[in-house]
Amino acid sequence: MKKGLTVFIIILVALVLTLFSGYNGLVASEEKVNNAWSQIDNQLQRRADLIPNLVNTVKGYAAHEEQILTEVTKARERLMGAGSVSDKADAEEELSRALSRLLAIAENYPELKADANFRQLADELAGTENRIAVARMDYNNAVQSYNTKIRRFPTNIVAKIFGFEKKAYFEVQEEARVAPEVDFGTKEKN
């Protein structure tokens, strides 16, 4: 009788430890995802903060390019108002396309390309774009790790009990995978 009770207690303790360990692992994994998402948000905010200065600089040289300036401003507003991962990804893609068009018009304005403020803003924007790419990669890696955890046995049972759900990846649409080429006159002309 004592032996059966001892075995039962050992099994019960093992189950409780598995439950606690699984729960704590999921919490840690979910926090990694949340942290990675906040890094994307930080970089998107940094880019959004650069855009008004860039638009104003371009406006000074290319005031008649009002349509593209309006597109950039509206895309920025949409990004700032986006809530979900997929909404942010869509808004971020729209803003990237609008910014590409804005930067491409600089080719038509040699004075703008030569402006120190414009060059500095364009460099900061390029650096921010790189940071966004790294933050996206880190976020998607954290999501992959988390989603794998909640699907593995026995952690999947803990995930179901405590309501841990799959997280969405930060994905771009197919047409955004091809970046437009923008040349600010850094290449030598033949």
mmCIF file of all heavy atoms in Angstrom, residues 7-8 10 16-17 19 24 28 51-52 63 88 99-100 102-103 106 114-115 128 148 173 185:
data_model
loop_
_atom_site.group_PDB
_atom_site.id
_atom_site.type_symbol
_atom_site.label_atom_id
_atom_site.label_comp_id
_atom_site.label_asym_id
_atom_site.label_seq_id
_atom_site.Cartn_x
_atom_site.Cartn_y
_atom_site.Cartn_z
ATOM 1 N N VAL A 7 4.564 5.830 -5.301
ATOM 2 C CA VAL A 7 4.605 5.928 -6.767
ATOM 3 C C VAL A 7 3.621 6.999 -7.238
ATOM 4 O O VAL A 7 3.947 7.823 -8.106
ATOM 5 C CB VAL A 7 4.308 4.557 -7.419
ATOM 6 C CG1 VAL A 7 4.093 4.706 -8.916
ATOM 7 C CG2 VAL A 7 5.418 3.582 -7.131
ATOM 8 N N PHE A 8 2.426 7.010 -6.657
ATOM 9 C CA PHE A 8 1.411 8.003 -7.016
ATOM 10 C C PHE A 8 1.914 9.411 -6.722
ATOM 11 O O PHE A 8 1.763 10.317 -7.548
ATOM 12 C CB PHE A 8 0.101 7.724 -6.252
ATOM 13 C CG PHE A 8 -0.938 8.776 -6.488
ATOM 14 C CD1 PHE A 8 -1.634 8.835 -7.691
ATOM 15 C CD2 PHE A 8 -1.222 9.751 -5.522
ATOM 16 C CE1 PHE A 8 -2.588 9.812 -7.927
ATOM 17 C CE2 PHE A 8 -2.169 10.724 -5.745
ATOM 18 C CZ PHE A 8 -2.853 10.757 -6.953
ATOM 19 N N ILE A 10 5.033 10.426 -6.471
ATOM 20 C CA ILE A 10 6.131 10.734 -7.398
ATOM 21 C C ILE A 10 5.576 11.150 -8.763
ATOM 22 O O ILE A 10 6.035 12.125 -9.375
ATOM 23 C CB ILE A 10 7.103 9.537 -7.514
ATOM 24 C CG1 ILE A 10 7.877 9.373 -6.208
ATOM 25 C CG2 ILE A 10 8.058 9.715 -8.689
ATOM 26 C CD1 ILE A 10 8.724 8.119 -6.136
ATOM 27 N N VAL A 16 3.170 17.928 -11.761
ATOM 28 C CA VAL A 16 3.113 19.320 -11.312
ATOM 29 C C VAL A 16 4.364 20.071 -11.775
ATOM 30 O O VAL A 16 4.275 21.205 -12.258
ATOM 31 C CB VAL A 16 2.939 19.395 -9.771
ATOM 32 C CG1 VAL A 16 3.161 20.815 -9.258
ATOM 33 C CG2 VAL A 16 1.550 18.906 -9.376
ATOM 34 N N LEU A 17 5.525 19.434 -11.654
ATOM 35 C CA LEU A 17 6.765 20.061 -12.109
ATOM 36 C C LEU A 17 6.743 20.295 -13.617
ATOM 37 O O LEU A 17 7.191 21.339 -14.109
ATOM 38 C CB LEU A 17 7.981 19.218 -11.712
ATOM 39 C CG LEU A 17 8.341 19.235 -10.224
ATOM 40 C CD1 LEU A 17 9.496 18.285 -9.953
ATOM 41 C CD2 LEU A 17 8.661 20.634 -9.746
ATOM 42 N N LEU A 19 4.061 20.750 -15.404
ATOM 43 C CA LEU A 19 3.094 21.826 -15.609
ATOM 44 C C LEU A 19 3.747 23.182 -15.347
ATOM 45 O O LEU A 19 3.671 24.093 -16.176
ATOM 46 C CB LEU A 19 1.877 21.624 -14.702
ATOM 47 C CG LEU A 19 0.779 22.666 -14.805
ATOM 48 C CD1 LEU A 19 0.031 22.491 -16.120
ATOM 49 C CD2 LEU A 19 -0.177 22.519 -13.640
ATOM 50 N N ASN A 24 6.089 28.172 -17.262
ATOM 51 C CA ASN A 24 7.149 29.179 -17.170
ATOM 52 C C ASN A 24 7.915 29.315 -18.483
ATOM 53 O O ASN A 24 8.283 30.425 -18.885
ATOM 54 C CB ASN A 24 8.111 28.848 -16.022
ATOM 55 C CG ASN A 24 7.454 29.067 -14.670
ATOM 56 O OD1 ASN A 24 6.500 29.822 -14.542
ATOM 57 N ND2 ASN A 24 7.964 28.386 -13.661
ATOM 58 N N ALA A 28 8.088 32.789 -20.702
ATOM 59 C CA ALA A 28 9.371 33.358 -21.145
ATOM 60 C C ALA A 28 9.394 33.504 -22.665
ATOM 61 O O ALA A 28 9.845 34.532 -23.201
ATOM 62 C CB ALA A 28 10.525 32.482 -20.670
ATOM 63 N N ILE A 51 10.193 60.829 -41.277
ATOM 64 C CA ILE A 51 9.447 61.116 -42.509
ATOM 65 C C ILE A 51 9.004 62.576 -42.633
ATOM 66 O O ILE A 51 9.190 63.170 -43.702
ATOM 67 C CB ILE A 51 8.272 60.136 -42.666
ATOM 68 C CG1 ILE A 51 8.842 58.759 -42.986
ATOM 69 C CG2 ILE A 51 7.298 60.597 -43.737
ATOM 70 C CD1 ILE A 51 7.835 57.653 -42.963
ATOM 71 N N PRO A 52 8.442 63.212 -41.599
ATOM 72 C CA PRO A 52 8.027 64.613 -41.792
ATOM 73 C C PRO A 52 9.186 65.521 -42.212
ATOM 74 O O PRO A 52 9.016 66.380 -43.074
ATOM 75 C CB PRO A 52 7.477 65.023 -40.419
ATOM 76 C CG PRO A 52 7.039 63.739 -39.796
ATOM 77 C CD PRO A 52 8.022 62.708 -40.283
ATOM 78 N N ALA A 63 8.097 71.037 -54.833
ATOM 79 C CA ALA A 63 6.759 71.346 -54.321
ATOM 80 C C ALA A 63 5.649 70.813 -55.223
ATOM 81 O O ALA A 63 4.567 70.480 -54.744
ATOM 82 C CB ALA A 63 6.602 72.855 -54.147
ATOM 83 N N LYS A 88 -0.065 46.138 -39.280
ATOM 84 C CA LYS A 88 1.223 46.862 -39.278
ATOM 85 C C LYS A 88 2.065 46.446 -40.478
ATOM 86 O O LYS A 88 2.710 47.281 -41.102
ATOM 87 C CB LYS A 88 1.997 46.581 -37.993
ATOM 88 C CG LYS A 88 1.578 47.469 -36.870
ATOM 89 C CD LYS A 88 2.744 48.171 -36.264
ATOM 90 C CE LYS A 88 2.312 48.715 -34.930
ATOM 91 N NZ LYS A 88 2.367 50.091 -34.754
ATOM 92 N N LEU A 99 7.722 55.654 -49.749
ATOM 93 C CA LEU A 99 9.043 56.231 -49.526
ATOM 94 C C LEU A 99 9.981 55.965 -50.701
ATOM 95 O O LEU A 99 10.772 56.828 -51.079
ATOM 96 C CB LEU A 99 9.667 55.671 -48.246
ATOM 97 C CG LEU A 99 9.176 56.280 -46.947
ATOM 98 C CD1 LEU A 99 9.740 55.514 -45.763
ATOM 99 C CD2 LEU A 99 9.525 57.752 -46.866
ATOM 100 N N SER A 100 9.887 54.783 -51.279
ATOM 101 C CA SER A 100 10.714 54.464 -52.445
ATOM 102 C C SER A 100 10.414 55.423 -53.585
ATOM 103 O O SER A 100 11.332 55.912 -54.257
ATOM 104 C CB SER A 100 10.476 53.028 -52.903
ATOM 105 O OG SER A 100 10.940 52.126 -51.947
ATOM 106 N N LEU A 102 9.148 58.427 -53.246
ATOM 107 C CA LEU A 102 9.606 59.747 -52.830
ATOM 108 C C LEU A 102 11.110 59.893 -53.051
ATOM 109 O O LEU A 102 11.578 60.901 -53.598
ATOM 110 C CB LEU A 102 9.274 59.985 -51.354
ATOM 111 C CG LEU A 102 9.792 61.292 -50.755
ATOM 112 C CD1 LEU A 102 9.053 62.477 -51.357
ATOM 113 C CD2 LEU A 102 9.634 61.277 -49.248
ATOM 114 N N LEU A 103 11.855 58.889 -52.645
ATOM 115 C CA LEU A 103 13.309 58.951 -52.815
ATOM 116 C C LEU A 103 13.705 58.896 -54.286
ATOM 117 O O LEU A 103 14.711 59.489 -54.684
ATOM 118 C CB LEU A 103 13.982 57.836 -52.016
ATOM 119 C CG LEU A 103 13.850 57.962 -50.491
ATOM 120 C CD1 LEU A 103 14.410 56.727 -49.806
ATOM 121 C CD2 LEU A 103 14.504 59.230 -49.976
ATOM 122 N N ALA A 106 14.014 62.173 -56.217
ATOM 123 C CA ALA A 106 15.228 62.969 -55.989
ATOM 124 C C ALA A 106 16.129 62.966 -57.218
ATOM 125 O O ALA A 106 16.901 63.901 -57.434
ATOM 126 C CB ALA A 106 15.989 62.436 -54.777
ATOM 127 N N ALA A 114 21.912 67.161 -53.671
ATOM 128 C CA ALA A 114 23.107 67.794 -53.119
ATOM 129 C C ALA A 114 22.864 68.387 -51.725
ATOM 130 O O ALA A 114 23.813 68.710 -51.027
ATOM 131 C CB ALA A 114 23.586 68.895 -54.070
ATOM 132 N N ASP A 115 21.614 68.517 -51.321
ATOM 133 C CA ASP A 115 21.275 69.112 -50.029
ATOM 134 C C ASP A 115 21.766 68.224 -48.879
ATOM 135 O O ASP A 115 21.442 67.034 -48.820
ATOM 136 C CB ASP A 115 19.753 69.305 -49.935
ATOM 137 C CG ASP A 115 19.343 69.974 -48.654
ATOM 138 O OD1 ASP A 115 19.425 71.211 -48.590
ATOM 139 O OD2 ASP A 115 18.953 69.249 -47.711
ATOM 140 N N THR A 128 17.694 53.060 -40.633
ATOM 141 C CA THR A 128 16.479 52.617 -39.947
ATOM 142 C C THR A 128 15.844 51.443 -40.671
ATOM 143 O O THR A 128 15.350 50.509 -40.037
ATOM 144 C CB THR A 128 15.484 53.789 -39.809
ATOM 145 O OG1 THR A 128 16.131 54.836 -39.071
ATOM 146 C CG2 THR A 128 14.221 53.370 -39.087
ATOM 147 N N THR A 148 6.535 26.832 -32.027
ATOM 148 C CA THR A 148 7.008 25.447 -31.929
ATOM 149 C C THR A 148 6.765 24.909 -30.528
ATOM 150 O O THR A 148 6.301 23.779 -30.359
ATOM 151 C CB THR A 148 8.512 25.362 -32.280
ATOM 152 O OG1 THR A 148 8.679 25.831 -33.624
ATOM 153 C CG2 THR A 148 9.032 23.943 -32.175
ATOM 154 N N GLN A 173 4.085 41.248 -48.311
ATOM 155 C CA GLN A 173 3.374 40.723 -49.469
ATOM 156 C C GLN A 173 4.374 40.428 -50.581
ATOM 157 O O GLN A 173 5.470 40.978 -50.619
ATOM 158 C CB GLN A 173 2.342 41.735 -49.936
ATOM 159 C CG GLN A 173 1.399 42.123 -48.825
ATOM 160 C CD GLN A 173 -0.030 42.018 -49.213
ATOM 161 O OE1 GLN A 173 -0.356 42.024 -50.383
ATOM 162 N NE2 GLN A 173 -0.898 41.926 -48.243
ATOM 163 N N GLY A 185 22.906 59.115 -57.447
ATOM 164 C CA GLY A 185 24.049 59.669 -58.149
ATOM 165 C C GLY A 185 25.372 59.180 -57.605
ATOM 166 O O GLY A 185 26.407 59.740 -57.897
#
